């Protein structure tokens, strides 16, 4: 049976501007065919099971010609796949979406279209430019600086000027000079406000606000490159008053967050809410130990223990999956006291209806052991954690003379997806920070990036142990005051404010 092609607008870059429908279909995809302009954050939502085909193109270099892209879509759909064709902005606005559908229609392939947030509107918005305003303009015109037949814009400038509306030019960087001279020759006032907006909605967005007369000079002085849009009209003068994106606490900051593949990251959410651009690099993965005899013994003999401890959110998740697989539920834990290494782990337990009796004042294995050494006197402790866990926990219990069963739940595996683009961005100095929430995320990151001079990397670490691991690779580190996600976010905000 034939598959289907879904044309999806990926928005202008900021992952928050992908539509809910776009995200939902992306997560169902067997194959994703995408362009250069699709944001990193959106690419990170592609499921690991989906095959990725990069047909990236930027300005006038077209690595894969359009007819070949059309052919790829057709062949993948004929092979029965659900194909998501991800395109920057909106798929139909100068996006060749129509051309891609023609061949599919000829072959009777099913398709759907998920419109996207176009750069033509959102990039000005992120620069503080409302594209219409009743005091300035009552119409908006979106124009391409390139056409299929002519590399230079073929535009009737005199008619355009007469419309007196806001003009937005896409793909106009290389044609900027001819656009501005054309507008002046068409009768536009040389003082008409004009702006060029580069890489809008990303952490690296830049804007040059000038006049039609001076725009080329000012854009060259600022070394503006594609992708950028040109906006011409009185509304550009409002940018000074309305710009907001860079003013957010973490506006303009690009951060890599390494996290286990299965865990949604609260760190990512918090950073994005403060305006940071987050690139997620899922560099570790947890795999439950199969036929886990030690765990089976512990679960059938829960009465032996006075306490149970958890040392990571992944550990909590796997423990309860195993419990359920055995036909048991939280009632089996009645009577046991519960310890968690930190607030993220405690939160995972709370989600399952269990409140924590003990959480150490500093979130590390040594402190957890020391606290249990006092609280758990006279009982046996069930420790559930990674196969390779910190010796500090058991050493502290040994010192306190408290018996325990150290039951391994999972192995940490390192995954090496999506690292190429992060390596490239690190090499160009486009990543401000990498956030590490455990020593294993450091190992995963270093393994994923591979051979690299890590002394250029600035890291925010959740605690000492994590920082020590990072320093082994010459990564520059700063450590959060308290070992919590909130404390990492506060540190980043301070560092950025000082900049
Ligand atoms: N379909 C897309 C436009 C594709 S044409 C949309 O709806 O946005 C490609 C042009 O879009 C680029 O040359 C540039 O002019 C503009 N563009 C896309 N994303 C942009 C961004 N983040 N910042 C500035 N311009 C962008």
């Amino acid at each position: 049976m034939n598959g289907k092609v879904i044309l999806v607008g990926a928005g202008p870059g900021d992952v928050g501007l992908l539509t809910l429908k776009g995200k939902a279909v992306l997560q169902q995809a067997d194959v994703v065919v995408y362009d250069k302009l699709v944001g990193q954050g959106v690419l990170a939502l592609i499921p690991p099971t989906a095959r990725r085909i990069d047909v990236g193109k930027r300005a006038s270099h077209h690595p894969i010609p359009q007819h070949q892209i059309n052919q790829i879509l057709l062949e993948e759909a004929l092979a029965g796949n659900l194909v998501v064709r991800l395109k920057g902005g909106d798929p139909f606005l100068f996006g060749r979406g129509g051309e891609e559908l023609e061949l599919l229609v000829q072959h009777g392939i099913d398709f759907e279209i998920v419109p996207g947030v176009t750069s033509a509107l959102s990039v000005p918005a992120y620069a503080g430019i409302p594209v219409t305003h009743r005091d300035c303009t009552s119409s908006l015109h979106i124009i391409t600086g390139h056409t299929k037949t002519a590399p230079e814009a073929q535009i009737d400038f005199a008619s355009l000027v007469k419309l007196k509306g806001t003009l937005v030019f896409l793909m106009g960087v290389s044609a900027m000079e001819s656009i501005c001279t054309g507008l002046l020759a068409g009768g536009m006032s040389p003082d008409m406000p004009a702006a060029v907006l580069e890489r809008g909605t990303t952490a690296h967005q830049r804007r040059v606000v000038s006049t039609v007369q001076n725009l080329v000079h000012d854009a060259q002085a600022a070394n503006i490159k594609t992708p950028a849009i040109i906006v011409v009209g009185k509304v550009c003068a409002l940018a000074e008053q309305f710009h907001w994106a860079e003013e957010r606490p973490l506006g303009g900051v690009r951060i890599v967050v390494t996290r286990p593949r299965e865990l949604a990251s609260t760190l990512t959410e918090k950073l994005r809410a403060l305006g940071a651009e987050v690139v997620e690099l899922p560099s570790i993965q947890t795999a439950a130990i199969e036929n886990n005899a030690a765990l089976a013994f512990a679960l059938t003999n829960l009465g032996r223990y006075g306490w149970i401890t958890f040392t990571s959110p992944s550990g909590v998740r796997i423990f309860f999956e195993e419990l359920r697989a055995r036909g048991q539920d939280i009632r089996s834990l009645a009577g046991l006291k519960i310890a968690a290494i930190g607030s993220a782990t405690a939160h995972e337990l709370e989600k399952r209806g269990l409140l924590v009796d003990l959480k150490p004042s500093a979130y590390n294995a040594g402190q957890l052991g020391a606290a249990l050494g006092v609280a758990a006197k006279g009982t046996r402790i069930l420790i559930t954690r990674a196969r390779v866990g910190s010796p500090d926990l058991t050493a502290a219990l040994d010192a306190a003379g408290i018996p325990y069963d150290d039951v391994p739940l999972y192995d940490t595996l390192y995954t090496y997806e999506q690292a190429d683009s992060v390596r490239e961005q690190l090499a160009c100095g486009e990543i401000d920070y990498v956030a590490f929430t455990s020593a294993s995320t450091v190992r995963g990151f270093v393994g994923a990036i591979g051979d690299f001079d890590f002394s250029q990397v600035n890291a925010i670490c959740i605690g000492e142990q994590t920082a020590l691991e990072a320093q082994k690779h010459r990564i520059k580190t700063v450590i959060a005051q308290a070992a919590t996600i909130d404390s990492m976010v506060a540190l980043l905000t301070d560092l950025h404010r000082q900049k």
Side-chain angles (χ1 to χ4, degrees), residues 11-14 37 59 87-96 116-123 144 169-173 197-202 226-230:
D14 180 345
L37 279 175
K87 301 172 79 75
D90 177 86
F92 279 173
L93 189 75
F94 303 135
R96 306 182 180 184
V117 172
T118 178
S119 63
L121 305 178
S122 56
V123 169
T144 171
F169 294 90
L170 269 59
M171 296 179 274
V173 175
L197 313 172
E198 182 191 76
R199 298 166 83 181
T201 82
T202 73
T226 189
I229 72 169
I230 298 167

Side-chain angles (χ1 to χ4, degrees), residues 159-183:
S159 313
L160 205 52
V161 172
K162 284 200 196 89
L163 295 168
K164 292 193 174 8
T166 301
L167 308 178
V168 172
F169 294 90
L170 269 59
M171 296 179 274
V173 175
S174 55
M176 193 182 311
E177 188 151 10
S178 66
I179 291 170
C180 291
T181 14
L183 291 171

Side-chain angles (χ1 to χ4, degrees), residues 176-294:
M176 193 182 311
E177 188 151 10
S178 66
I179 291 170
C180 291
T181 14
L183 291 171
L184 292 172
M188 185 171 272
S189 154
D191 298 326
M192 177 61 82
V196 55
L197 313 172
E198 182 191 76
R199 298 166 83 181
T201 82
T202 73
H204 298 114
Q205 73 171 34
R206 294 199 297 156
R207 72 172 176 279
V208 170
V209 181
S210 177
T211 57
V212 175
Q213 181 172 233
N214 296 327
L215 188 68
V216 173
H217 171 268
D218 293 350
Q220 274 167 1
N223 193 25
I224 292 288
K225 297 245 159 57
T226 189
I229 72 169
I230 298 167
V231 187
V232 178
K234 289 182 187 156
V235 288
C236 292
L238 297 168
E240 212 35 58
Q241 190 185 341
F242 288 161
H243 67 86
W244 58 277
E246 296 85 352
E247 312 305 318
R248 294 170 293 173
L250 290 175
V253 181
R254 187 177 281 183
I255 304 169
V256 171
V257 170
T258 55
R259 60 161 176 90
R261 170 156 272 308
E262 340 36 42
L263 287 183
S265 170
T266 41
L267 177 58
T268 295
E269 280 163 29
K270 288 185 180 191
L271 294 173
R272 282 187 179 145
L274 293 171
E277 181 176 345
V278 176
V279 179
E280 288 196 315
L281 185 69
S283 51
I284 62 175
Q285 189 170 2
T286 50
I289 294 171
E290 286 181 34
N291 304 321
N292 191 337

Side-chain angles (χ1 to χ4, degrees), residues 357-390:
D357 300 288
L358 181 146
K359 205 168 55 178
S361 52
Y363 296 166
N364 64 56
Q367 291 294 322
L368 175 63
L372 279 168
V374 177
K377 277 257 177 299
T379 68
R380 174 177 283 271
I381 300 178
L382 171 57
I383 301 173
T384 65
R385 57 179 182 165
R387 193 187 314 254
V388 183
S390 165

Side-chain angles (χ1 to χ4, degrees), residues 415-481:
T415 58
Y416 301 124
E417 305 152 28
Q418 296 160 38
D420 289 350
S421 129
V422 173
R423 187 185 309 108
E424 237 168 70
Q425 295 174 61
L426 282 168
C428 311
E430 294 204 334
I431 303 285
D432 299 292
Y433 303 99
V434 182
F436 293 122
T437 51
S438 69
S440 59
T441 61
V442 177
R443 289 189 284 270
F445 171 79
V446 168
I449 299 300
D451 193 16
F452 191 78
D453 175 11
F454 287 103
S455 64
Q456 316 168 31
V457 175
N458 290 304
I460 306 283
C461 298
I462 197 160
E464 276 314 324
Q465 291 301 322
T466 306
L468 284 174
E469 187 65 34
Q471 286 155 11
K472 282 190 202 158
H473 305 279
R474 302 182 30 239
I475 295 173
K476 292 194 215 82
T477 57
V478 288
I479 304 175
Q481 215 160 28

